[in-house]
Amino acid sequence: MTTSNDTPTHVPAKLALSDGTVVSGESIGYRGLAGGELCFNTSMTGYQEIMTDPSYVGQLMMMTYPHIGNYAATFDHDEAASPMIAGFIVRDFTRRPSNPQADETLDAYMRRHELVGISGVDTRMLVRHIRDRGVMNAVISSDEMDEDVLVQKARDWPSMSGLDLASEIGVDAPMTFAAGDGPTIVVYDYGVKRNILRSFRQRRCTVHVVPGSTSVEDAMDYDPDGIFLSNGPGDPRAMSAAIERTGQLIETGRPLFGICLGHQLLSLAQGFDVYKMFVGHRGANHPVQNLDTGRVEVTTQNHGFAVDPESIDSSKARITHVNLNDDTVEGMRFKTFAGLSLQYHPEASPGPHDSQYLFDTFMAMIGEERDVEIAPPPESRSPVSA
């Protein structure tokens, strides 16, 4: 038996949790060892978009849907240039997919990007375990097989709490993603998903993407009509410079829109509190209610931190969206400046698309605050290709 990373073979692997739980399975993707915070995602499709979501940096992703890899991998399904998860855990892994549009098998995709994974484990048991005990660190290994050593490695792995991971990703220099005849949007890139940028382009915006460390002065050189704070990984409470910068962006008077990490940064800049969740929300089937309309939206989510509703100053913001599973804060409108924020992902790719109207809400806000023509909402709510 070979352990080459060029040819798929049946290689044993182990998954070890920091609480001492160890399960055995088969190596998929790249051979080696990987560690991080063990989380699970309840989506039935979109595994490639999940793997390449920058908000998942530092996390081992376990899929609750049992059959993964059956439609292989397609280049234009990536949300970033390469996978962002630390490792991949599945029940049943398909090595012979059926999809005429696929570019390569998922195993080949993982090996090409040196992504370590394990299959053949009881993901249902592990999900119940995490739901009872909370997310914890773990390691996947197809090299080291000593269970005591692996458990200790999991225990020694850095905790997600207090980690500023967003500074490690995003663009290194400003770039223009789209040039349109609508509003100019400056996107602060803490790990922005490509479909967010496509959603702005679909609304005829000129989109400038800048590093998360960009000064307010440099951002204002673009004379933006709106400013977007992107999603991203890690603990927002550790991003003191970004929180201060967000406060300065508020003072510019430009409309602001934050998603996921951006939502949390806007909240922290307003003096609200953010806490680490026991398990977190990761999946494409979370029910969220729009408190303004009463409408319930099926949403895609990916976050392990949330805004404390008790800390929200009602003179500064009002809650617009709540999660119907656990009443967590999912959206806000701000009262002292033109701004809105969402904890979930309205740009969801491959879906659902219930919440894409919120990009149009931001466009309408820009139209009210700035003397700029706003294009009619796009007829198609489907993600557009890069």
Side-chain angles (χ1 to χ4, degrees):
M1 181 183 299
T2 176
T3 57
S4 167
N5 278 298
D6 297 323
T7 304
T9 55
H10 297 287
V11 177
K14 290 184 183 292
L15 170 68
L17 282 60
S18 60
D19 70 349
T21 302
V22 180
V23 296
S24 298
E26 181 177 311
S27 174
I28 56 175
Y30 195 75
R31 318 295 184 239
L33 184 144
E37 184 179 76
L38 177 59
C39 304
F40 62 87
N41 191 296
T42 57
S43 299
M44 295 178 67
T45 62
Y47 51 76
Q48 190 176 338
E49 290 87 347
I50 292 165
M51 296 165 81
T52 54
D53 182 347
S55 297
Y56 283 131
V57 167
Q59 295 176 327
L60 301 177
M61 185 47 56
M62 177 166 56
M63 302 299 295
T64 63
Y65 189 71
H67 306 296
I68 300 297
N70 49 319
Y71 59 85
T74 306
F75 297 150
D76 63 4
H77 287 179
D78 286 343
E79 289 287 353
S82 62
M84 293 290 170
I85 58 173
F88 201 46
I89 302 153
V90 303
R91 172 71 180 188
D92 296 314
F93 190 74
T94 303
R95 297 184 184 274
R96 295 183 178 179
S98 176
N99 180 6
Q101 296 179 332
D103 295 306
E104 59 186 335
T105 67
L106 187 58
D107 188 67
Y109 176 85
M110 291 176 63
R111 285 185 283 113
R112 181 164 60 85
H113 289 291
E114 300 186 2
L115 178 62
V116 174
I118 184 172
S119 69
V121 300
D122 188 346
T123 53
R124 185 174 183 179
M125 176 275 290
L126 289 168
V127 167
R128 291 172 66 90
H129 187 73
I130 292 174
R131 289 181 63 184
D132 289 341
R133 302 196 179 189
V135 293
M136 64 186 75
N137 285 347
V139 295
I140 304 168
S141 178
S142 56
D143 290 339
E144 176 64 62
M145 286 292 151
D146 186 298
E147 295 186 0
D148 291 335
V149 171
L150 292 175
V151 169
Q152 190 58 50
K153 285 182 179 293
R155 290 171 178 168
D156 292 340
W157 212 272
S159 170
M160 187 67 70
S161 292
L163 285 184
D164 175 8
L165 297 176
S167 62
E168 301 176 7
I169 58 177
V171 294
D172 296 324
M175 55 88 71
T176 299
F177 178 82
D181 57 1
T184 296
I185 308 295
V186 166
V187 174
Y188 270 79
D189 184 6
Y190 300 111
V192 69
K193 293 172 65 179
R194 284 178 175 169
N195 209 48
I196 290 176
L197 303 179
R198 296 170 186 149
S199 297
F200 282 123
R201 182 179 64 188
Q202 192 178 31
R203 288 159 176 82
R204 293 169 33 189
C205 295
T206 293
V207 183
H208 300 293
V209 183
V210 300
S213 59
T214 301
S215 69
V216 174
E217 293 77 15
D218 287 347
M220 294 305 292
D221 284 343
Y222 293 100
D223 190 23
D225 297 299
I227 298 170
F228 178 79
L229 305 179
S230 84
N231 60 291
D235 188 342
R237 300 169 299 184
M239 302 173 63
S240 56
I243 296 168
E244 181 180 358
R245 189 178 305 110
T246 300
Q248 295 169 353
L249 289 170
I250 291 172
E251 294 175 359
T252 66
R254 300 299 203 273
L256 273 78
F257 184 15
I259 287 178
C260 203
L261 180 67
H263 160 78
Q264 296 161 6
L265 290 175
L266 282 167
S267 299
L268 290 166
Q270 288 287 282
F272 310 156
D273 293 332
V274 170
Y275 65 94
K276 193 176 191 307
M277 304 173 73
F278 185 68
V279 172
H281 296 163
R282 298 173 181 89
N285 54 1
H286 286 255
V288 167
Q289 185 171 34
N290 182 325
L291 299 181
D292 292 338
T293 65
R295 180 172 178 255
V296 176
E297 305 162 18
V298 180
T299 69
T300 289
Q301 306 211 3
N302 167 21
H303 62 104
F305 295 84
V307 176
D308 181 0
E310 299 298 322
S311 71
I312 297 174
D313 184 340
S314 60
S315 68
K316 295 182 178 180
R318 64 181 178 88
I319 299 173
T320 57
H321 296 75
V322 295
N323 190 298
L324 295 182
N325 286 334
D326 59 9
D327 295 324
T328 51
V329 177
E330 296 286 2
M332 292 189 294
R333 286 291 292 264
F334 296 93
K335 297 181 178 180
T336 59
F337 64 95
L340 72 155
S341 64
L342 300 169
Q343 184 60 81
Y344 57 100
H345 286 269
E347 84 295 339
S349 175
H353 303 144
D354 296 18
S355 306
Q356 287 193 358
Y357 71 91
L358 288 155
F359 284 96
D360 302 320
T361 300
F362 184 50
M363 293 295 102
M365 179 182 292
I366 289 174
E368 293 173 2
E369 299 292 326
R370 304 279 291 171
D371 185 16
V372 60
E373 181 180 353
I374 304 298
E379 293 182 5
S380 173
R381 298 296 185 182
S382 299
V384 292
S385 299

